[in-house]
Amino acid sequence: GGTGGMGDATERAVLRALLWLRDHQNADGSWSTQYDEAMTGLALLAFLAHGETPDSGQFGLTVQKAIQWLSNYMLSKPANKFTASGYAHGIATYALCEAYALTKLPIVKPAMEKGLNRIIRGQQETGGWDYNYAKGERWDLSVSAWQIQALKAGYAAGAQVQGHEEAIALAVDWLKQVNYKGGTFGYAAPGGGSAGMQGAGSLALQLLG
């Protein structure tokens, strides 16, 4: 499942990529030796998007080990510690939300909710996010988009975190009233962002309804 009507050539390419990821997974279930939180989240998302779960024949063990590592990693992080850039934490939380939605494994729920709680607490008063979850005047759409994807995925997965719906509503207002200007979304100032930022802003609003 999860192939979404892909053609044979596309499916073969995806399978080759998943096999490569499987063969390059660390023994503990993570990926990479640098930025392992983000790399493991991204790799796990690739398997989940293909419909792979711990029960899958070809990739089940890979997915199981990745979910276990990422859940333990999130649960072991001090409550007041944020990943430096904000990207990694958003990606990891997003992956945990998708993992819980697909598997309903009990270990994933508290890890997912802990990650979401940090994202909610890291949101600025105007509704965006910045590097290091800073609360200054600067905001960053590329950082924020990962937080928004995690918030939406967590909501869809049934997470129960205080302030979740309010954070989503505030993010919508931020995108429309603070970030967007003159027909475009902005990277770190209203309007004028790159094509990539238009994709990030548009996708974020689509995800949030």
Side-chain angles (χ1 to χ4, degrees):
T3 56
M6 292 188 298
D8 290 344
T10 305
E11 173 65 6
R12 286 195 300 271
V14 169
L15 283 173
R16 285 198 302 272
L18 294 178
L19 286 166
W20 186 91
L21 286 170
R22 182 195 67 181
D23 294 344
H24 288 79
Q25 186 180 32
N26 296 328
D28 63 3
S30 64
W31 274 271
S32 185
T33 56
Q34 189 178 23
Y35 310 120
D36 50 358
E37 179 184 17
M39 295 301 105
T40 303
L42 288 170
L44 177 57
L45 282 166
F47 286 100
L48 296 173
H50 197 251
E52 307 297 340
T53 73
D55 295 325
S56 300
Q58 193 171 22
F59 300 115
L61 182 60
T62 300
V63 174
Q64 179 182 328
K65 290 167 62 178
I67 291 174
Q68 187 78 44
W69 185 91
L70 201 58
S71 297
N72 288 337
Y73 182 92
M74 185 66 73
L75 290 171
S76 69
K77 291 171 69 173
N80 62 347
K81 179 183 177 184
F82 292 105
T83 302
S85 71
Y87 289 108
H89 182 78
I91 291 168
T93 302
Y94 175 31
L96 286 168
C97 293
E98 295 289 6
Y100 185 70
L102 200 58
T103 70
K104 298 301 181 183
L105 289 170
I107 188 178
V108 183
K109 191 171 190 286
M112 165 186 72
E113 291 177 344
K114 183 176 181 181
L116 288 168
N117 183 55
R118 290 179 181 171
I119 289 173
I120 293 167
R121 288 192 292 114
Q123 189 177 28
Q124 298 170 326
E125 288 187 7
T126 55
W129 289 263
D130 194 13
Y131 286 95
N132 305 302
Y133 294 100
K135 295 295 185 75
E137 292 186 5
R138 184 190 186 275
W139 41 256
D140 188 301
L141 178 55
S142 61
V143 172
S144 298
W146 286 108
Q147 319 309 312
I148 288 169
Q149 288 206 95
L151 288 174
K152 173 56 188 288
Y155 185 79
Q160 296 174 310
V161 185
Q162 185 176 3
H164 197 158
E165 291 188 30
E166 292 84 352
I168 289 173
L170 188 59
V172 171
D173 288 343
W174 170 72
L175 284 163
K176 294 167 66 175
Q177 299 176 20
V178 178
N179 186 298
Y180 190 80
K181 182 180 180 182
T184 60
F185 294 97
Y187 164 59
S194 66
M197 292 300 95
Q198 307 321 305
S202 298
L203 175 61
L205 282 181
Q206 290 175 45
L207 289 171
L208 301 181

